[in-house]
Amino acid sequence: MSEQPVEEILAAFGERIRAAITVAMEITEVVARRRMELAREAQASSEAARADFAARLRTERDGAMPIMRQPWDAAWWRRAEPQEIAHVWQVTAGWATTDDPYARTTQDHMRRQIQQRYGVSVPNQPVPENDLALLMTPRPEAERGGSGPGNEPELAEGAQGQYEYVVRDAANPDVVLAQGTLAADPAAAPADVAVQGLRQYAQGGPDHGATRDERIDRLFDTAYGRVSPAGDLSTVDIDVYPAGQGESGRSTPLYSLEGARIEEVRQERRTERQRVIDGQTEASDEEVLAATALEERATREDLRYEQARAAAAGREPGQQVTWSINQRVFEKEQDLTRGVAEGTAVIPPGMSPELFATEQLAQAAADGQAGRGEDYSIVVRDRGSTTLAQLTGAQVEAVRAAQGPAYEAARAAEAGVDVRAVEQAQAELATTTAAARERMGDLRLRREMAEARLRGESDQTVMWAERLRHDLDTGWWETANPTEITGVWKHVGTWPEGAGKTAAQAQLWAAVQRMHGVVVTPGASASDVAAALEKALDAQGRGLPGDRQDERQRQQSRDEEAAANASGERAEGMAAAGEPMEDVRAEAGHAGDMQAAAVQDRQAAAALADVGDREAADAVAVAAQGFSGTPSSRLAASQGKRSQRPRPKPRQQRDQERGRGGR
């Protein structure tokens, strides 16, 4: 009975692959459609629900990465069965529908391999949808550092003095409680400015042209109880005017806001901006950029408030007071009193009014507003105008010496601090900070996409570049083979021109040089990169010091032993499944060959330790062409006495000879 021709066997194998992939594509389409439905639902949900769904998607995607890397290994194709190929296609195609650049690269590679090896043409998958791609794309890391005051994210500011505001008593609008100017973002609406003005008022008073650092300091002072916060905002209103037309101009306000509605209006404005950012409201790219900038500011501001709240958690509230510093002067033959400075504050817990008074007077002296002699005095009163402390500049040092050490000791011991409350606040802050950074990353990505569109570029490359940055981490580069690297290189070369493509190419150039020492010019083709990588990896395997050659041989022996164990397990499985004994014996024979190679490589590693670097390099070069009978024969071959023992046939050739369809 004649054996079936190899061509017929390959054709039959190809038909099995065609059938398996057809089923896989149908399943992929169902799964992709369901993912997109869930993505649309997530887009319409709350920010927290959307973030949770995106995190779950990315976890699933990270789990698929090892599966999608398999087709880049030539050995995988030699042993993979049709169902296994179809499964990897299904996983890869499923993520390619999310506009995932690595999945699309792998899918194209699989399509070429299936055509070349089995003569099966696989059609393209459906066009991906942007919403799902956005959810899938990891957000750039938005913030770095800790959560303390010294590690605050930068706050983007607009032009100074763009608006003016007036805070009034809600019951008596003629009573002006505070007024000032606001450094609002250029795209801020009057409603945004009103909210910002009330929040500044709640921090302790009007702006009065304070610098950015001064505003941040006041925010934390408020949280720590060192300055007087405003009262209940439900008792005040705010009017917003154009710059230069505030209370003195008596013009009609651009916007008026009741303090009781501040959070309601703030959330309304943020919801409107988010709809613009998500594309749910028709808007120009300039409007998307403006909305993104305002949301970045709002997110940073929320985080600062949470940081300030956590810093003050568990600490006893201080006593709210007013203080005034006066100077006694002699004018026109009489003693007069002139006010120097005044303000409201909160006395920190454990500090006496007298010690607080000395600190305020000493600070005024340091600022050049007052002196320390008898001519300067300070009065501290409670909210009921009862005098709590009164002293002169000459008494400052005496009070400090008498009361300062005890107060500092109590503060160092954290007297009056609820440790449990502090720990709980810090834990909540960690969660809030993580969410804020995720949010900032999302906004930054949206901003970069809008900027790309304004430049006339494709915004998809921005997503693709960020996705690749996430996927091609150090672990990927350490294990990627030249085929895989050049496959990604070639795929990035097909992207539309723009900042995203430039960023991705720069990432590839830098990583190839860093990981493999190969300097690649920006215009290099994929074949140039492949040749350079092959040359570099070949050199790395032959020209290393002797101790590293030993380790390379030991690692090779471990890899061969693992392959031997895997082949042995496959042989047992084939026998249990009743496959032809010829195939079982071939698989077992391959396991034996690999086991023998592992033993000899271990022996070779020991022998290489006894020779010089040059001889070791030559020996490894010979060993790379196929293992010899003994370690000594390897060393002999390095001196022109190569063993004549035949090399074992490659597995691919054996598979073809026994009609298993390997190429």
Side-chain angles (χ1 to χ4, degrees), residues 153-158 183-186 212 215 293 296-297 300 304:
E154 289 300 316
L155 182 61
E157 300 286 1
D185 289 272
R212 170 185 173 277
R215 289 196 297 275
E296 286 181 316
R297 177 188 180 116
R300 289 189 178 104
R304 288 200 184 111

Side-chain angles (χ1 to χ4, degrees), residues 165 177-179 197 199-208 218 228-230:
Y165 71 89
L177 302 175
Q179 59 185 8
R199 295 193 84 175
Q200 283 193 3
Y201 173 72
Q203 290 175 28
D207 189 350
H208 290 312
R218 187 169 65 234
S228 172

